[in-house]
Amino acid sequence: MGNEQLDQLRDKLDEVNIQILDLINSRAEIVKEIGEIKEKQGAIYYDPVRERDMLNKITAKNNGPFEDSTIVHLFKEIFKAGLELQKDDHRKALLVSRKKKPEDTVIEINGERFGDGNQHFIMGPCAVESYEQVAEVAAAVKKQGLKLLRGGAFKPRTSPYDFQGLGLEGLKILKRVADEYELAVVSEIVNPADIEKAVEYIDVIQIGARNMQNFELLKAAGEVNKPVLLKRGLSATISEFINAAEYIMSRGNGNIILCERGIRTYERATRNTLDITAVPILKQETHLPVMVDVTHSTGRRDLLLPAAKAALAIGADGVMAEVHPDPAVALSDSAQQMDIETFNTFMNELKK
Ligand SMILES: [Mn+2]
């Protein structure tokens, strides 16, 4: 007899559960509508005054048996879930997101199609030091059948007393060498005001790790018709990285290549910690090509090849690394650049 009563009560409970389910979902629908209006107004989703007001109205009607504090706790969880739902909808709206554009973005540069599923390489010296130095690397790059040459003319360095790059003179050297060897040039720009001039000399604008959240630079890069190679900031989360790319795309330039280059952690065995899983995450969340810079992430010549293999195995669209004719005397990053012979071995191993 007791069991019969228990079953009846349990049936009732099941019914109430379904009623609660229906109610929280219809609440969610209203929350989504509010989110859409707020998005149009550019308003912030979370409104503490409104939340306090809702809680007061609810507890005023609370006749138990739950304590007010318990009710507040339960409703705060429901509010939080609603807020997450609004934010999810907002994420959907990002132009760089897979949700917005399911198919891969393919960026054509000098006959290479980044994002087409094949492997691509961007190689060259850390910094442009002279015509001869760049030309020697370019010859090796071309011999390997590659189409892109990197080289820094504007160098954002940790210390103001370190070599700062040759500036516009460096870009001119890159352009001359690139024309001679039929290569496209990837070079970093650090000042929004330089972009207009720089696009005459370079094929891909690189925005470096230290400038990933230089929003004026991102906006300026978004306003020109040149592909942008955007590096992840030293301490940037993946979400911040994606939003930095959104800054560029929201200005009209959709040709963006993302580049994971290691993040700062407590580990000192490598210069930075290569966040290898950032690659598949970025590939899932965005439709943009993703590369891995093995030079700056590892900071160690002996790790370049294994890191590059890992990058390609996990789905990166390409690998970036630094090559110098004589790394021992390089003006920057001398510990991790490859000499020509090492570069040839590196490429031959990766092509296997
Ligand atoms: Mn470097």
Side-chain angles (χ1 to χ4, degrees), residues 126 155 296 322 333:
C126 179
K155 300 297 298 176
H296 297 98
E322 291 182 347
D333 285 351

Side-chain angles (χ1 to χ4, degrees), residues 142-157:
K142 188 177 169 69
K143 214 169 156 192
Q144 282 291 344
L146 308 184
K147 304 279 188 191
L148 279 95
L149 180 71
R150 59 143 288 136
F154 297 97
K155 300 297 298 176
R157 304 300 301 282

Side-chain angles (χ1 to χ4, degrees), residues 21 46 59 70 109 121 132 154 157 178 200 213 254 265 303:
L21 173 71
Y46 179 64
T59 48
T70 308
I109 307 159
F121 299 91
E132 291 72 21
F154 297 97
R157 304 300 301 282
E200 294 173 29
Q213 281 189 321
T265 69
L303 298 180

Side-chain angles (χ1 to χ4, degrees), residues 39-263:
E39 192 179 323
K40 278 185 198 128
Q41 293 175 342
I44 297 163
Y45 298 116
Y46 179 64
D47 181 350
V49 177
R50 169 71 187 145
E51 184 149 331
R52 169 46 61 207
D53 186 43
M54 286 194 292
L55 290 174
N56 286 347
K57 279 178 181 154
I58 292 161
T59 48
K61 292 263 183 189
N62 181 29
N63 299 317
F66 281 127
E67 302 259 0
D68 279 0
S69 61
T70 308
I71 290 293
V72 166
H73 176 75
L74 289 171
F75 271 88
K76 276 189 77 98
E77 285 302 313
I78 294 172
F79 295 172
K80 207 166 87 187
L83 207 60
E84 284 302 314
L85 204 61
Q86 289 180 333
K87 285 185 185 162
D88 272 352
D89 278 358
H90 184 64
R91 265 198 286 277
K92 252 178 234 164
L94 282 189
L95 299 170
V96 296
S97 70
R98 208 37 106 178
K99 283 171 190 159
K100 187 83 180 176
K101 177 174 172 270
E103 61 279 6
D104 287 331
T105 286
V106 176
I107 303 169
E108 185 160 352
I109 307 159
N110 200 21
E112 295 267 316
R113 291 166 50 80
F114 283 79
D116 67 354
N118 292 311
Q119 297 166 358
H120 305 275
F121 299 91
I122 301 179
M123 302 284 163
C126 179
V128 175
E129 297 168 12
S130 68
Y131 168 80
E132 291 72 21
Q133 171 238 11
V134 179
E136 200 174 333
V137 176
V141 165
K142 188 177 169 69
K143 214 169 156 192
Q144 282 291 344
L146 308 184
K147 304 279 188 191
L148 279 95
L149 180 71
R150 59 143 288 136
F154 297 97
K155 300 297 298 176
R157 304 300 301 282
T158 302
S159 163
Y161 306 115
D162 285 342
F163 176 57
Q164 303 286 307
L166 298 181
L168 189 60
E169 201 46 50
L171 293 186
K172 286 178 180 168
I173 291 173
L174 277 170
K175 171 80 178 149
R176 187 179 148 202
V177 173
D179 286 347
E180 286 170 13
Y181 292 88
E182 295 168 304
L183 299 169
V185 167
V186 183
S187 198
E188 176 165 4
I189 301 302
V190 296
N191 184 349
D194 289 335
I195 286 190
E196 211 179 322
K197 192 87 196 132
V199 293
E200 294 173 29
Y201 302 98
I202 65 181
D203 303 284
V204 179
I205 298 167
Q206 180 179 313
I207 295 183
R210 283 160 190 80
N211 273 315
M212 190 207 81
Q213 281 189 321
N214 180 338
F215 299 115
E216 294 310 312
L217 185 62
L218 297 172
K219 289 182 203 166
E223 279 162 13
V224 291
N225 187 21
K226 281 275 173 189
V228 178
L229 185 123
L230 178 67
K231 287 200 169 186
R232 181 178 181 180
L234 332 189
S235 303
T237 63
I238 289 174
S239 164
E240 287 163 341
F241 189 20
I242 290 173
N243 273 289
E246 185 73 8
Y247 260 89
I248 299 168
M249 195 170 282
S250 66
R251 293 286 166 139
N253 187 354
N255 290 329
I256 306 161
I257 300 169
L258 301 174
C259 185
E260 164 61 39
R261 47 80 69 208
I263 49 174

